[in-house]
Amino acid sequence: MDKRSASRLTVILLMAPLVVWLAAFIILPHVDMFMLSLREKVAPRVYTTSFANYGEFFGEPLYWITLARTTIMSVAATVLTLLIGFPIAYYIAKIARGKTKNVLFLFCLLPFWVSELVRTFGWMILLRETGIISNVLQWLGLVDGPVEMLYNDVTVMVGLVYTSMLFMVVPLVSTLDSLDDSYIEAGYDLGGNGFTVMREVVIPHAMPGIVSGCIVVFMLTLGNYLTPILLGGKDSLWFTGQIYTQFITRFNWELGAAFGFLLLAVSSIMVWAGLKLSRQTLSSTLAEG
């Protein structure tokens, strides 16, 4: 075997586990889910191929309103996470020095040492009617009785932003770290103020990290199940809750598969639109992610 053939064989052997993993756990399940979504039950154990499940989705306002509401709230959570995460990432990458930088990054990482379920229960302990915040407000005399802060959209939004923060901060820190400080100093030397330097120098350089963080946060939020259901309650109208209901409660796997495929289609369209609007490519954002 010559050197070129040996090199090609090495690449094939290295890529083989990834290809098997993608085929077994990503491609085949989604193909099966799509085929399942096209099955219509016409009699016990008798199925036919049709788009009836998708027709049922568009024919029932509750379903598509829930999907639209979930998408809008996911976009809002992504924007809020970016607005909160960008100053944190900028401080860590460009202002903090030495051990301070490592400690701040560790503080961002610490909450993710426990599972999402534990983190969400932590918020429930804080915000419930008999929780810490309610007791403090009563002790300060700001309210007359217990205050229930769970089971509303604001609480869900707080939980989603908190759950996603690290996935926004990490790519932003990585991108901002690569920005040479001399470019920022040059911006000020040319007469720019803080806002101008941020708009003309920092944000354009950080755009791949911004897009990468937004894509990850949006997809995690759109597909989140625990946080919206636990903090928003059973009436939170989150689309993953509808999918769970069809699969587990009603055993309607065909409609659940259609819902799952629609959620995948919406997330793909939103990611494509985000890349087009930001004029970024998928390869550049993946490199930053």
Side-chain angles (χ1 to χ4, degrees), residues 40-48 254:
E40 180 187 6
K41 191 174 184 179
V42 294
R45 298 179 183 277
V46 179
Y47 298 91
T48 184
E254 291 76 21

Side-chain angles (χ1 to χ4, degrees), residues 124-196:
M124 295 182 73
I125 291 172
L126 287 174
L127 300 175
R128 64 181 176 176
E129 194 175 15
T130 56
I132 297 172
I133 295 179
S134 177
N135 289 332
V136 170
L137 291 175
Q138 291 178 72
W139 180 73
L140 293 174
L142 297 176
V143 295
D144 296 329
V147 180
E148 179 62 88
M149 285 172 275
L150 290 173
Y151 313 127
N152 57 68
D153 289 345
V154 175
T155 305
V156 172
M157 191 63 68
V158 170
L160 290 174
V161 171
Y162 174 76
T163 303
S164 309
M165 187 58 67
L166 182 68
F167 302 99
M168 182 66 76
V169 170
V170 169
L172 284 175
V173 169
S174 175
T175 308
L176 291 170
D177 254 340
S178 65
L179 175 61
D180 196 322
D181 292 343
S182 61
Y183 289 109
I184 300 176
E185 294 171 3
Y188 284 109
D189 291 342
L190 291 172
N193 54 31
F195 176 76
T196 307

Side-chain angles (χ1 to χ4, degrees), residues 171 174-175 208-209 212 281-289:
S174 175
T175 308
S212 174
T281 62
L282 187 60
S283 58
S284 65
T285 56
L286 288 175
E288 293 298 331

Side-chain angles (χ1 to χ4, degrees), residues 81-124:
T81 308
L82 174 62
L83 293 177
I84 298 171
F86 192 90
I88 296 172
Y90 185 82
Y91 188 87
I92 293 174
K94 308 308 295 181
I95 298 177
R97 292 290 182 269
K99 290 183 179 179
T100 305
K101 186 173 185 174
N102 297 330
V103 169
L104 289 175
F105 198 79
L106 184 64
F107 281 161
C108 293
L109 191 63
L110 273 177
F112 291 84
W113 288 5
V114 297
S115 70
E116 183 183 354
L117 181 63
V118 175
R119 277 180 273 139
T120 305
F121 273 128
W123 278 107
M124 295 182 73

Side-chain angles (χ1 to χ4, degrees), residues 265-283:
V266 168
S267 65
S268 301
I269 291 171
M270 294 298 290
V271 169
W272 176 81
L275 290 171
K276 290 296 180 185
L277 289 174
S278 61
R279 299 179 181 179
Q280 299 295 308
T281 62
L282 187 60
S283 58

